[in-house]
Amino acid sequence: MRDLIGYGENPPVVGWPGGAKVAVSLVVNYEEGAERSIAAGDERDEDIVIFGGWSSDPARRNLMKESFFEYGSRAGIWRYLAMFRERGLKATFMACGEALEKNPEAARAIARDGHEICGHGYRWRGMAGMTPEEERAEIRACKAAIEATAGVTPVGWYVREDITEKTRSILVEEGFLYDSNSYADDLPYFVSVEGAKHLVLPYSGDTNDGRFWGPGSLGTGEDFFTVLKDSLDCLVAEGETVPKMMSVGIHLRIGGRPSVANGVRRFLDYAQSVDGVWFATREEIARWWLAHAPAELPREVFEEVAS
């Protein structure tokens, strides 16, 4: 059953550490090498429109399109690791297991720098249409790949496109702390999974560099900086009474490009100058919410997940 009401007019007031008004979650999507690829044995290439509207026949291998993906794992990853390291910031890397297997040096570097690695599927795909057995296999394969390449165990989950009515039950059974397959709120919230509370940390589509990927999607780092700054300013103002959460979504083949990355760089510098901003991984946010959210929420209604 859908929940179109959520917290309503009186969301819970959960203070962040140090009295912060906004918890900023930096999310880096590491997918390159896990997309559909004829070279990898798939029947079709990833059908993604790029380069301001250019596309190709997905039934034919296209080396130029492959190279757009390769940029993320060859250059974008190192640009962002250096950017975060220079500022002492920790991010959540939503990583596909197969992508890390194809670049174990990057996997080790992400873990070395203390970033969280969140499960993003073994392949870069959604779970819609999968049987429960197939979903469980996908989750376990992703988890095993992250553990083998980076030496850490993921506690969060997010996949492209969609999950099924069974996904969250399986995640709970497999020991995951949260998932982010939602765009429904500016605060974490609980859903009911077989009578128990499961935590959802919503993601965001507007504060996301996906705006630069697709038909006619040409923009500048200045555009992205403005969107990020305006979003933070709004949430900081609202955070005076109800502290909020903000997600920043980055894809290494998109936001890893110099012009967009420069807009992100400017935003990070701006956000670090704003009073009341807490940069945190999604695991940190999840654990804080679980420890500090009131036992009785303003509206004790949870989305039911089919059993």
Side-chain angles (χ1 to χ4, degrees):
M1 183 176 69
R2 295 177 65 190
D3 180 2
L4 298 173
I5 300 174
Y7 291 124
E9 193 174 13
N10 298 295
V13 178
V14 179
W16 301 122
K21 303 164 189 171
V22 181
V24 174
S25 167
L26 303 174
V27 175
V28 179
N29 294 267
Y30 192 89
E31 303 155 345
E32 291 75 16
E35 75 277 4
R36 285 182 305 178
S37 167
I38 292 174
D42 294 314
E43 293 184 359
R44 299 169 67 85
D45 265 345
E46 194 68 48
D47 188 16
I48 296 292
V49 178
I50 53 179
F51 206 46
W54 174 86
S55 186
S56 66
D57 179 3
R60 178 181 64 82
R61 184 181 179 190
N62 188 289
L63 275 66
M64 187 170 80
K65 187 159 61 176
E66 288 177 12
S67 73
F68 273 84
F69 280 90
E70 291 162 7
Y71 185 90
S73 59
R74 291 168 59 110
I77 178 67
W78 307 114
R79 176 167 289 126
Y80 271 92
L81 285 176
M83 190 187 305
F84 294 151
R85 196 162 51 243
E86 290 166 1
R87 290 160 178 76
L89 298 174
K90 297 294 185 288
T92 294
F93 281 72
M94 291 179 172
C96 295
E98 186 179 43
L100 293 183
E101 288 177 340
K102 291 181 176 177
N103 193 351
E105 181 183 359
R108 291 190 294 269
I110 293 167
R112 176 203 67 203
D113 286 359
H115 301 293
E116 177 194 3
I117 300 182
C118 168
H120 196 29
Y122 181 71
R123 301 292 305 276
W124 185 48
R125 58 187 174 188
M127 304 178 87
M130 289 186 180
T131 66
E133 292 73 22
E134 289 170 336
E135 287 196 73
R136 193 180 300 276
E138 181 80 6
I139 290 167
R140 288 182 174 179
C142 177
K143 182 177 179 180
I146 292 171
E147 290 175 337
T149 57
V152 298
T153 299
V155 298
W157 188 257
Y158 174 82
V159 289
R160 67 181 280 191
E161 295 176 359
D162 205 0
I163 57 176
T164 76
E165 292 84 355
K166 296 287 188 180
T167 305
R168 285 170 174 154
S169 295
I170 298 171
L171 290 174
V172 170
E173 292 169 1
E174 295 295 321
F176 282 78
L177 190 68
Y178 73 89
D179 80 80
S180 288
N181 272 97
S182 170
Y183 296 80
D185 215 304
D186 295 313
L187 287 173
Y189 63 90
F190 293 105
V191 295
S192 178
V193 177
E194 298 180 356
K197 294 179 181 179
H198 170 67
L199 186 62
V200 177
L201 268 62
Y203 196 31
S204 176
D206 60 322
T207 51
N208 191 302
D209 65 4
R211 64 180 55 243
F212 298 103
W213 187 267
S217 298
L218 296 178
T220 67
E222 177 71 20
D223 296 332
F224 199 32
F225 167 73
T226 299
V227 169
L228 296 177
K229 178 181 179 298
D230 287 351
S231 298
L232 181 64
D233 288 347
C234 177
L235 293 173
V236 166
E238 294 177 355
E240 293 284 352
T241 53
V242 180
K244 297 293 179 65
M245 174 182 169
M246 174 180 171
S247 298
V248 177
I250 299 158
H251 299 74
L252 294 169
R253 62 190 176 277
I254 309 171
R257 299 279 172 174
S259 64
V260 183
N262 197 50
V264 176
R265 187 190 308 272
R266 289 183 57 204
F267 170 74
L268 297 180
D269 291 341
Y270 172 74
Q272 285 191 303
S273 73
V274 175
D275 182 51
V277 173
W278 175 43
F279 283 95
T281 67
R282 296 180 93 74
E283 179 180 359
E284 289 174 324
I285 294 170
R287 294 193 184 282
W288 184 271
W289 192 265
L290 287 167
H292 295 88
E296 295 297 325
L297 293 175
R299 179 173 173 273
E300 199 72 13
V301 176
F302 304 101
E303 173 189 351
E304 283 294 336
V305 178
S307 59

